[in-house]
Amino acid sequence: MAAGGWTYATLAAKAEVDPKSVERWVNLGRTPRRTTAMLAAEALGEDVHALWPALRQARSARAISPELMALYDQRADVPVSAFTDMLTQAREHIDVLVYAAVFLHEAYPRLNDLLRERAAEGCTVRIAIGDADSENVQQRGREEKFGHGIESRCRLALMHYRPLVGVPGIEIRTHGTTLYNSLYRADDQMLVNAHVWGVNAYGAPVWHLRRHDNGKVFGTYAQSFDAVWATATPVQEE
């Protein structure tokens, strides 16, 4: 509501309820009826289950993480705007853990400019890409029947990011870890591209997470990034 300039009264009008009802949602954590919640979520441009996880849990006996925003069958189904919009909204943290992910630069040539802008506004940007000479990167190429292609893409990714080396607030590192998931984090949101043996990353699933007080999944991946970052090697200016 704050980001969109919504007041209790203006959102109440869209959701067809009294402003006091909206005030209770915000200040008392009340959950509206599903129909009302859908109207409010549509007006705000948010996922209804992200606003009120109880609505999702009420429909199923299974335990569902309140942090799961969306699940994509494969990365190729995720619009590039989902990545760039998320990064654009970041105010504190941007963390990227990949082997290459050159699709971002290829589909969005302004990526480096976007990262510079975020860093200039005080956002800490950490990019970890694969070390093309590491055994784990080369093994991934063999598993995905991609041969030396993945090594070449790691070198291409480094070439794309190298102009950012030395920019205040931005650090680029290379890592040689076994990459179980590619992570794209912007503050309290994260896109997780799972890796499946023998499948290229673009054909593997992606889940969109948003940190929630009652969830642990986001924190697990954030800690994983920090662990890899601690082992990674800073890229030096040429």
Side-chain angles (χ1 to χ4, degrees), residues 35-235:
T35 302
T36 302
M38 293 294 289
L39 289 173
E42 183 179 0
L44 294 169
E46 288 285 347
D47 181 86
V48 67
H49 297 126
L51 297 175
W52 295 289
L55 292 175
R56 172 163 42 194
Q57 294 166 358
R59 298 181 66 186
S60 173
R62 296 180 302 142
I64 300 176
S65 171
E67 296 181 304
L68 183 62
M69 298 280 293
L71 174 63
Y72 299 89
D73 289 345
Q74 54 184 3
R75 195 192 70 198
D77 295 334
V78 186
V80 173
S81 60
F83 292 89
T84 57
D85 288 352
M86 189 178 72
L87 297 177
T88 299
Q89 296 169 18
R91 295 294 178 268
E92 297 181 0
H93 304 284
I94 289 177
D95 292 333
V96 175
L97 171 62
V98 296
Y99 272 161
V102 294
F103 74 93
L104 282 177
H105 278 99
E106 292 170 348
Y108 190 75
R110 284 199 70 256
L111 181 62
N112 281 7
D113 292 334
L114 187 159
L115 296 176
R116 285 192 188 94
E117 291 164 4
R118 292 294 85 234
E121 293 292 329
C123 191
T124 299
V125 179
R126 300 185 294 179
I127 309 291
I129 57 179
D131 178 354
D133 296 321
S134 76
E135 172 57 29
N136 285 321
V137 167
Q138 295 170 7
Q139 178 65 28
R140 177 62 57 83
R142 292 190 290 270
E143 292 170 356
E144 294 182 0
K145 299 180 174 60
F146 202 38
H148 297 296
I150 191 167
E151 300 164 39
S152 298
R153 292 179 79 80
C154 286
R155 293 189 173 93
L156 180 59
L158 180 58
M159 182 187 75
H160 280 310
Y161 285 115
R162 185 169 286 283
L164 298 176
V165 175
V167 174
I170 299 179
E171 186 171 0
I172 313 296
R173 295 186 182 184
T174 59
H175 70 95
T177 62
T178 301
L179 193 63
Y180 298 105
N181 302 279
S182 293
L183 307 178
Y184 308 84
R185 177 193 178 181
D187 290 344
D188 289 338
Q189 295 191 64
M190 185 184 298
L191 290 165
V192 179
N193 185 188
H195 290 295
V196 181
W197 196 95
V199 178
N200 193 282
Y202 66 77
V206 171
W207 37 92
H208 185 177
L209 304 176
R210 176 177 288 177
R211 188 195 295 274
H212 191 281
D213 290 343
N214 295 327
K216 298 180 180 179
V217 181
F218 185 101
T220 297
Y221 285 114
Q223 291 171 12
S224 176
F225 178 92
D226 289 338
V228 174
W229 186 253
T231 70
T233 303
V235 175

